């Protein structure tokens, strides 16, 4: 009986310590102003962005193109499709709607996008240029059918060297727990 009581007390103590640790972690995150900004043509990146925003207790804002992308626009097998034409031109900047949020108020900006042609879509470049992220800590995340995130982040770092880039993460089919671990390790 003493052993059972000891075991129960140990389990309760571990559970209480874990809950306290999570509350402290959320408290630390709340002190830092965090924003999740994302572009999502099909909704996949949007789902991940919402998870990050919830976990980080962050504000969230979508990069919305003035002209939405249709299925035909996203046909990567057609060299004349809108996305193929944009991605073949590094200077292309598809018009986006004005953001409803002042990025300058945030300490950390999670920046999400699908990977197109091994890069961030051109709408992301326009957002970066319009938002003036100079000196901000930006954490890229992406979704992709087959490409890794490394090249897209390397190109963004080279194109925008005045931003404090953190290591990016590809978040395909990742559990909420894995996202939570990554977010807490990223925001310190």
């Amino acid at each position: 009986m003493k052993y059972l009581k000891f075991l129960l007390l140990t389990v309760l103590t571990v559970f209480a310590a874990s809950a306290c640790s999570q509350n402290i972690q959320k408290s630390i995150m709340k002190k830092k102003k965090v924003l999740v900004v994302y572009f999502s043509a099909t909704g996949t990146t949007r789902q991940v962005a919402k998870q990050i925003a919830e976990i980080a207790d962050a504000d969230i804002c979508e990069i919305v193109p003035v002209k939405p992308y249709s299925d035909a626009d996203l046909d990567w097998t057609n060299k004349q499709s809108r996305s193929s034409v944009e991605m073949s031109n590094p200077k292309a900047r598809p018009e986006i709607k004005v953001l409803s949020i002042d990025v300058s108020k945030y300490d950390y900006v999670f920046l999400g996008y699908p990977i197109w042609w091994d890069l961030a879509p051109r709408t992301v470049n326009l957002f970066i240029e319009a938002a003036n992220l100079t000196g901000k800590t930006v954490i890229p995340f992406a979704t992709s059918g087959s490409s890794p995130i490394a090249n897209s982040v390397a190109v963004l770092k080279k194109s925008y060297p005045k931003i404090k880039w953190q290591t990016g993460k590809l978040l395909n089919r990742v559990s909420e727990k894995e996202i939570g671990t990554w977010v807490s390790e990223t925001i310190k």
Side-chain angles (χ1 to χ4, degrees):
M1 188 61 134
K2 285 183 183 181
Y3 177 74
L4 187 58
K5 286 181 181 178
F6 175 75
L7 184 60
L8 183 59
L9 184 58
T10 302
V11 168
L12 288 173
T13 302
V14 169
F15 180 74
S18 174
C20 183
S21 172
Q22 289 174 352
N23 287 339
I24 290 169
Q25 183 181 18
K26 280 209 174 229
S27 174
I28 290 169
M29 283 188 197
K30 282 186 178 185
K31 291 180 183 174
K32 301 187 189 242
K33 296 287 288 173
V34 180
L35 175 64
V36 177
V37 178
Y38 69 94
F39 166 68
S40 185
T42 63
T44 304
T45 307
R46 177 181 299 113
Q47 290 173 350
V48 174
K50 286 181 178 181
Q51 286 182 308
I52 293 170
E54 184 177 322
I55 290 165
D57 194 27
D59 293 332
I60 189 165
C61 184
E62 183 175 6
I63 300 167
V64 180
V66 169
K67 180 183 174 194
Y69 288 88
S70 68
D71 288 343
D73 291 335
L74 298 173
D75 182 0
W76 60 272
T77 63
N78 177 356
K79 291 184 180 185
Q80 299 306 311
S81 74
R82 178 176 163 200
S83 59
S84 295
V85 170
E86 289 172 2
M87 296 310 292
S88 68
N89 178 2
K91 294 184 181 190
R93 295 296 183 269
E95 191 177 0
I96 61 175
K97 293 181 181 180
V98 176
L99 296 180
S100 60
I101 206 150
D102 180 3
V103 178
S104 69
K105 296 178 182 178
Y106 295 89
D107 302 309
Y108 292 89
V109 177
F110 283 89
L111 178 59
Y113 52 88
I115 297 177
W116 290 359
W117 291 260
D118 208 26
L119 301 168
R122 304 299 181 203
T123 53
V124 172
N125 296 87
L126 184 59
F127 160 73
I128 292 169
E129 293 159 6
N132 186 13
L133 297 170
T134 300
K136 292 280 176 206
T137 299
V138 177
I139 306 111
F141 67 94
T143 58
S144 172
S146 61
S147 300
I149 192 172
N151 188 64
S152 69
V153 174
V155 171
L156 289 172
K157 285 180 177 182
K158 184 177 179 184
S159 300
Y160 307 101
K162 294 182 180 179
I163 294 173
K164 296 177 192 172
W165 292 99
Q166 289 196 0
T167 303
K169 186 152 180 85
L170 189 64
L171 296 173
N172 288 343
R173 297 169 291 284
V174 177
S175 72
E176 190 170 326
K177 182 179 178 183
E178 290 173 286
I179 293 172
T181 300
W182 175 66
V183 168
S184 64
E185 290 172 353
T186 304
I187 303 174
K188 295 182 179 180

